[in-house]
Amino acid sequence: MQIDNDIYQDIRPYNDDEVSGAIERLINDKDFINAILNYRFPQLSGVLGWVLTPLIKRFLIKKWSNVKTVADVQRQVAKYMHGTIKHSCDGVTYTGLEKLDPKQSYLFVSNHRDIAMDPAMVNWCMFNNGFNTVRIAIGDNLLKKPCATELMRLNKSFIVRRSAKAPREMLKALGLLSSYISHSLETGNSIWIAQKEGRAKDGNDRTDPAILKMFFMEGRQRKLSFPEFMPQLNIVPVSISYENDPCDIAKAKELYQKQTQGSYEKGEFEDIESIIQGIVGHKRRIHVSFGDVIRDEFETPDLLAAEIDRQITQNYHLFPANYIAAGIEHESVTDAETARFNEKVADLPLGVIDILKTMYATPALKKLS
C-alpha cells in the first residue's frame, strides 16, 4: 500500500508492493547486467556480451518470477548467504542471542569491519533463530549506480545521506534519519547500524558519539532528555570478529599510504571491489557476539558510547591471529597458525606489516588490558 504522506519514501527500504517494479528495473539495468557478465563470464563478456545479455535477462526473469514480497527477497538472500558461508568461511558461531526476544525490536550498534558481511552475519544469525531480519543503514556513498540502490532497498536497507554538505540540508537529513529509526523500532522493525561512519580499518572499534546524538534528535523533538529517551531504543552492542579479513592487506596498504604520503585517493570502483572481496574472500571462522540491551540511563552521548565500546571490546571473540599479532601466548596459537600468519605478511613492505599486525593485535590488547 502506498502512503500518500510517506515522509520516508526517499530513504526507506522498499515495501511489498514495490518489489516487482524494482526487480523489473534491475533486469533492464545495463550496469547490473554488465556487472553479472563481467563477474560470471569475464572472458566472454566483451566479445559475446550481446549474445549473453538476453540469456541472462531471461534467466533472471525465471529465477525471480516468484519473488513478490520483501520476505521472498529475504529468503533468496538467505539461500545465497548459505552458499557464501559454505564457500568462504569455516563456520559461523554466535553468542548472546538467547537473551533477546524475537517479538521485540532492537537497535543493533555494531563494530564495522566489512561493508556487506557485517549486517549479513547479524541477519544470518537472526534468520536462523526465528527473529525477523534487520533494516540496514547504508551510506549513499555506496549507491553511486541506480542498480546498487535498487539492490540495497530490496534487501531492507535504508539510506544515510552522507553526501549532504550544507549545514541546513545535513540537519534535515539527520533529523529524518533519526525519526525513521525510531519509527522503525516502534513498528516492530530492528535496525543494524555501524558504530561510526566507515570501517575500523586499523582494528580499533570505537563508537562515534555523533551517531548517538543523531539517534537522540527524535528524542529532542519529543521534548525528552537524553537519559529518558535513549533506553527506549533498546540498543544492543554487537561485536563481529573474522578470523581472517579478506580485505586486510588492502586496508593496511591504504593506511600506509595515508601515513607516508598524507592522503589516499580511492578508485572509482574501490568500494564495490571491497564488497565483492569481503563476500567471496576466505574469512576462516566468524563469530558474532550480541551484547546486553542497554537499559541504564546515561547522562551524555560520551558516557553511552563508552558503554557500547566496553561491551564490543569485551565480547570480541579473539582468534589465533589476534594473539600472534599482539605477541600474547595462548593455547590456540600453534606452530601452524604462526606459520600461516608469517606467510600472509612475508612479501609485504615493513610499514604495511606493522599496520596489518596492529589491525589484528588491537582487539586482543584492548580486551586483555
Side-chain angles (χ1 to χ4, degrees):
M1 186 182 76
Q2 187 59 52
I3 303 160
D4 290 338
N5 186 25
D6 185 355
I7 60 167
Y8 308 119
Q9 189 168 6
D10 291 341
I11 65 165
R12 63 163 174 75
Y14 288 137
N15 296 324
D16 285 348
D17 63 333
E18 297 166 309
V19 167
S20 295
I23 286 174
E24 196 176 326
R25 288 191 297 275
L26 268 177
I27 289 168
N28 291 304
D29 188 297
K30 203 173 164 191
D31 288 329
F32 181 61
I33 300 299
N34 284 342
I36 294 172
L37 273 172
N38 292 330
Y39 179 61
R40 293 302 300 269
F41 311 105
Q43 261 66 51
L44 303 174
S45 60
V47 191
L48 293 175
W50 62 279
V51 177
L52 294 171
T53 294
L55 295 176
I56 286 172
K57 284 189 177 184
R58 214 170 302 154
F59 169 77
L60 291 175
I61 289 166
K62 191 176 176 204
K63 186 179 169 66
W64 290 343
S65 60
N66 295 322
V67 178
K68 308 285 186 199
T69 66
V70 173
D72 293 339
V73 174
Q74 292 297 288
R75 279 189 285 274
Q76 288 285 329
V77 172
K79 267 190 222 167
Y80 179 77
M81 278 303 299
H82 183 74
T84 301
I85 286 167
K86 198 174 163 188
H87 292 112
S88 76
C89 71
D90 301 330
V92 179
T93 53
Y94 54 87
T95 48
L97 206 48
E98 71 286 346
K99 296 177 287 189
L100 303 180
D101 178 0
K103 296 185 183 70
Q104 178 66 60
S105 52
Y106 299 98
L107 175 49
F108 295 106
V109 178
S110 164
N111 69 333
H112 194 24
R113 301 303 181 82
D114 188 277
I115 297 169
M117 290 305 289
D118 291 350
M121 292 326 306
V122 169
N123 263 343
W124 176 251
C125 296
M126 297 185 77
F127 183 83
N128 288 309
N129 285 277
F131 286 76
N132 288 328
T133 50
V134 298
R135 289 178 174 174
I136 300 161
I138 183 163
D140 62 359
N141 57 306
L142 298 172
L143 306 176
K144 295 198 171 86
K145 302 264 185 196
C147 59
T149 305
E150 299 286 10
L151 281 169
M152 293 303 179
R153 292 181 76 183
L154 274 170
N155 191 32
K156 292 179 76 170
S157 297
F158 60 96
I159 300 167
V160 177
R161 297 229 177 270
R162 288 183 185 158
S163 54
K165 291 287 178 262
R168 187 174 290 179
E169 191 191 352
M170 265 173 74
L171 208 60
K172 191 180 171 189
L174 291 171
L176 187 68
L177 183 62
S178 180
S179 169
Y180 179 72
I181 288 170
S182 288
H183 170 76
S184 291
L185 295 166
E186 286 160 8
T187 52
N189 296 281
S190 291
I191 295 280
W192 178 94
I193 193 166
Q195 66 183 151
K196 70 178 187 67
E197 190 179 310
R199 292 169 292 164
K201 292 172 186 163
D202 59 358
N204 189 7
D205 300 315
R206 279 181 312 240
T207 304
D208 184 351
I211 299 273
L212 309 181
K213 289 173 188 171
M214 179 271 288
F215 297 158
F216 177 55
M217 288 175 82
E218 180 62 18
R220 188 179 280 122
Q221 229 9 64
R222 299 179 188 188
K223 307 284 190 286
L224 295 171
S225 69
F226 188 83
E228 277 177 317
F229 178 72
M230 297 307 278
Q232 297 177 19
L233 299 178
N234 286 332
I235 292 174
V236 176
V238 178
S239 194
I240 305 166
S241 33
Y242 301 90
E243 184 167 15
N244 181 64
D245 179 350
C247 300
D248 53 6
I249 292 171
K251 288 176 185 175
K253 284 179 176 175
E254 177 185 331
L255 293 175
Y256 181 66
Q257 192 175 318
K258 278 182 181 167
Q259 207 179 74
T260 54
Q261 295 174 31
S263 66
Y264 176 81
E265 194 61 49
K266 207 183 261 190
E268 189 190 350
F269 300 109
E270 202 163 319
D271 284 333
I272 302 299
E273 284 160 12
S274 295
I275 289 171
I276 293 167
Q277 186 57 28
I279 292 169
V280 302
H282 199 68
K283 292 163 276 291
R284 301 191 71 196
R285 291 170 292 177
I286 303 171
H287 187 83
V288 184
S289 294
F290 294 87
D292 297 319
V293 184
I294 298 177
R295 305 206 188 278
D296 292 345
E297 295 184 359
F298 289 89
E299 287 298 322
T300 66
D302 286 348
L303 290 171
L304 179 53
E307 170 57 17
I308 294 169
D309 287 351
R310 183 192 69 79
Q311 288 201 38
I312 286 175
T313 298
Q314 284 311 307
N315 292 336
Y316 193 96
H317 184 84
L318 298 172
F319 289 110
N322 302 114
Y323 295 111
I324 292 163
I328 296 169
E329 285 185 19
H330 189 262
E331 58 189 15
S332 68
V333 176
T334 60
D335 290 345
E337 289 291 353
T338 305
R340 185 195 277 257
F341 191 82
N342 290 337
E343 195 181 319
K344 175 199 275 288
V345 302
D347 299 326
L348 299 173
L350 283 176
V352 176
I353 293 173
D354 288 343
I355 290 169
L356 193 128
K357 281 186 172 175
T358 301
M359 194 188 295
Y360 282 96
T362 298
L365 296 170
K366 281 176 75 175
K367 183 171 182 170
L368 303 172
S369 64

